[in-house]
Amino acid sequence: VTNVFNSLKKQNEKKFLKSLPTKAEIDYLIPMVKTAQPDQNIPEADSIISNFRNKATDDFRKVIQRGSNFGVMWGDIVLQNVSYKDNPDPNVQVERRDITLECSSHDKKFLIILKKSSKILDEWRVMDTMKFTLL
């Protein structure tokens, strides 16, 4: 959460990408997914990471642009609250949540929702889309 918030505040996409799973974490997950879904073709870790990076980069840029369009001054954002909702995956036994960052920037209040964030090898990682919602 801290890394994501700081990367948004500084509009630093490279810092945000550090919130994605590492190769070791993907290698840890692949056998679980293969066991749970033996008929599914699971790509190699490098391919998964590349796809995650591309999607996360696009998402990050869209969130920054959308917030800017609504008048969010990213350098001045304040984190007001963090909440979560469990979102388990029946196929992979790792802790998974939708994490919501409630933020403000001057008179603008908004949410950043990190969908399907997962705790892999004791580290929380962004595993799916990030959503911006103006309040």
Side-chain angles (χ1 to χ4, degrees), residues 39-134:
D39 296 335
Q40 189 172 354
N41 183 20
I42 308 298
E44 295 294 318
D46 289 335
S47 176
I48 293 169
I49 289 170
S50 176
N51 288 337
F52 271 168
R53 289 180 66 84
N54 290 338
K55 187 175 180 180
T57 298
D58 287 345
D59 254 6
F60 184 83
R61 290 175 182 165
K62 285 177 186 174
V63 164
I64 293 293
Q65 183 61 50
R66 183 148 188 222
S68 296
N69 289 346
F70 283 113
V72 170
M73 304 299 290
W74 290 104
D76 297 333
I77 63 173
V78 174
L79 182 61
Q80 295 181 319
N81 189 34
V82 176
S83 60
Y84 66 89
K85 178 178 155 194
D86 287 336
N87 181 355
D89 181 344
N91 297 316
V92 182
Q93 298 305 309
V94 295
E95 195 172 352
R96 191 171 85 169
R97 299 174 171 167
D98 293 341
I99 301 173
T100 302
L101 287 68
E102 187 177 328
C103 304
S104 65
S105 170
H106 300 285
D107 63 341
K108 307 291 183 203
K109 293 184 186 276
F110 58 96
L111 303 177
I112 301 294
I113 303 167
L114 308 172
K115 308 233 322 126
K116 300 179 186 175
S117 297
S118 299
K119 188 175 185 182
I120 309 166
L121 300 174
D122 293 326
E123 291 289 331
W124 281 98
R125 298 297 182 183
V126 173
M127 299 289 286
D128 200 31
T129 58
M130 180 171 52
K131 183 179 176 185
F132 174 93
T133 303
L134 190 66

Side-chain angles (χ1 to χ4, degrees), residues 10-37:
K10 295 178 181 173
Q11 300 178 51
N12 185 332
E13 133 186 342
K14 287 182 182 178
K15 185 175 185 74
F16 174 72
L17 293 175
K18 292 178 181 179
S19 300
L20 299 179
T22 65
K23 186 174 188 324
E25 291 164 339
I26 295 296
D27 285 338
Y28 171 78
L29 289 178
I30 287 175
M32 285 188 239
V33 174
K34 284 183 178 179
T35 299
Q37 302 171 8

